[in-house]
Amino acid sequence: MKTIDDLGDLRGKRVLVRSDLNVPLDGGTITDDGRIRASAPTISDLSDRGARVIVCAHLGRPKGAPDPAYSLAPVADRMAEVLGRPVQFATDTVGDAAQAAVAALGDGDVVVLENLRFDPGETSKDDAERSAFADRLAALADAYVGDGFGALHRKHASVYDVPARLPHAVGGLVRKEIEVLERLTGDPDRPYVVVLGGSKVSDKLGVIDNLLGRVDRLVIGGGMVFTFLKAQGHEVGKSLLEQDQVDAVRSSVEQAAAKGVEIVLPVDIVAATSLDADADIDVVAADAIPADRIGADIGPRSAELFAGKIRDARTVFWNGPMGVFEQEAFADGTRAVAEALTEVDGLTVVGGGDSAAAVRQLGFAEDRFGHISTGGGASLEFLEGKTLPGLTALTDSTDTKG
Ligand code: ADP
Ligand code: MG
């Protein structure tokens, strides 16, 4: 993998950096700037080397057309604060505004382009449409740096097609992320415990199946756990449930048993009348969720159980909150798991946008964890053993020479 050093003297060169600036927004306010702070060192480094830095990224899921709710403008402002230097903002992706902004860059200057997903070419499954957009992006720059770890699993123009068109290198953030994940897929110290939560079991079943041959223990909470409870024959009331995944979950659980992997499920659940702050809340047994209730968090006995199953591990990977942590009333399970990770004597990795936001929101110092990954889907797919299109594009041996 080529690094920024391999790109040679960058003074006067226009360098396009693909970052992951997909931060959570509440209205126009950034509620967690972790990905901006994680992306800043590579941008600073390029700027210090005299490059003319063009930052590109996506935000949320706009529908291939400009949508002010998903503008990267507030992110560019925050980036300027984090970098401690001015950051220009181009009000389009590859159009007149972007071209003018790039032409105006001096050595060391930084511009952020508008949300790449405002152009349908960025995410298009049609190679020609994606290629056309990639051509225009590549035309803005002399070199490319891939640093958007959270987007590496996407076969998108800025991630997959642009590096083939320019001399390219991998950024420091991606290097760091891959280094840590390789420790998890290599020969991790045991016990190796994986904790999974969050909302979609269909997103995470692949990783579960792939990990069964490697982990000692799987601890499962969050919204996805109700599909597990259902697979065991329990009713889950109005909780999140992916009915079409019940059979797949059942077969995963059987495989786990056959391979001697311990699966730890909650024994009690915080059952609420709604997910609002003023909901009525009771703790119920995991096999007795009332028909009119939503499971919003693991219960206190489960929190204690999970913490015990985590603390004695030597390697832990955690993805997905244990409950609807955005509401304080449903944050205790996530807090207990985070706390247990900080007590582990070994490598702890927190992956996933919401999980990373959760530990910060709950007031945990980042240095109490071994590594907080900026990528959810990307880290899961890496652990699943899938090839990440963005990584393939960066490591491609048919590199264009600069
Ligand atoms: P990550 O971004 O860390 O990969 P996910 O996106 O998979 O995590 O899931 C995060 C979301 O899961 C949070 O918004 C949280 O509110 C939600 N969640 C957790 N537990 C539940 C639950 N019991 N019911 C509904 N949603 C839940
Ligand atoms: Mg998420």
Side-chain angles (χ1 to χ4, degrees), residues 92 160 218 223 285 394:
D92 62 24
Y160 181 74
L218 263 176
L394 287 172

Side-chain angles (χ1 to χ4, degrees), residues 89-125:
F89 179 68
T91 54
D92 62 24
T93 54
V94 294
D96 293 345
Q99 288 169 28
V102 169
L105 290 175
D107 293 1
D109 287 351
V110 180
V111 62
V112 174
L113 305 181
E114 184 53 287
N115 191 343
L116 294 169
R117 292 192 186 172
F118 285 4
D119 192 298
E122 168 66 359
T123 60
S124 178
K125 297 233 181 337

Side-chain angles (χ1 to χ4, degrees), residues 301-314:
R301 285 203 302 128
S302 309
E304 214 168 291
L305 170 73
F306 284 15
K309 296 288 182 187
I310 292 166
R311 256 185 233 116
D312 70 342
R314 302 299 306 276

Side-chain angles (χ1 to χ4, degrees), residues 309-324:
K309 296 288 182 187
I310 292 166
R311 256 185 233 116
D312 70 342
R314 302 299 306 276
T315 308
V316 184
F317 175 78
W318 171 29
N319 169 265
M322 294 294 106
V324 185

Side-chain angles (χ1 to χ4, degrees), residues 35 197-201 203-204 221-226 238-240 269-270 275 294-298 318-327 330 334 350-358 375-377 379-380:
R35 283 177 166 162
S199 43
K200 285 193 84 182
V201 75
D203 283 354
K204 305 191 182 182
M224 64 187 280
V225 87
F226 301 101
K238 290 187 177 156
S239 310
L240 210 62
I269 295 289
V270 175
L275 293 180
I294 304 169
D297 193 9
I298 58 170
W318 171 29
N319 169 265
M322 294 294 106
V324 185
F325 73 94
E326 293 91 340
Q327 294 282 1
F330 310 128
T334 303
V350 182
D354 292 293
S355 309
S379 48
L380 287 173

Side-chain angles (χ1 to χ4, degrees), residues 241-330:
L241 172 66
E242 284 181 80
Q243 187 64 53
D244 60 347
Q245 298 289 321
V246 169
D247 288 340
V249 164
R250 196 176 292 128
S251 108
S252 293
V253 171
E254 280 162 14
Q255 275 185 58
K259 290 186 171 155
V261 175
E262 184 186 5
I263 293 206
V264 184
L265 297 178
V267 290
D268 58 352
I269 295 289
V270 175
T273 48
S274 78
L275 293 180
D276 302 333
D278 60 354
D280 286 338
I281 297 171
D282 292 296
V283 174
V284 302
D287 59 2
I289 301 173
D292 60 347
R293 293 290 177 111
I294 304 169
D297 193 9
I298 58 170
R301 285 203 302 128
S302 309
E304 214 168 291
L305 170 73
F306 284 15
K309 296 288 182 187
I310 292 166
R311 256 185 233 116
D312 70 342
R314 302 299 306 276
T315 308
V316 184
F317 175 78
W318 171 29
N319 169 265
M322 294 294 106
V324 185
F325 73 94
E326 293 91 340
Q327 294 282 1
E328 180 49 41
F330 310 128

Side-chain angles (χ1 to χ4, degrees), residues 7 19 29 32 46 104 228 254 270 301 319 371 387:
L7 291 176
S19 299
T29 309
D32 182 65
L46 291 168
F228 279 75
E254 280 162 14
V270 175
R301 285 203 302 128
N319 169 265
H371 179 68
T387 28

Side-chain angles (χ1 to χ4, degrees), residues 129-154:
E129 189 181 24
R130 233 179 37 246
S131 282
F133 184 58
D135 284 342
R136 298 192 69 191
L137 262 177
L140 294 173
D142 306 302
Y144 173 92
V145 172
D147 207 34
F149 176 72
L152 280 186
H153 60 313
R154 305 289 187 198

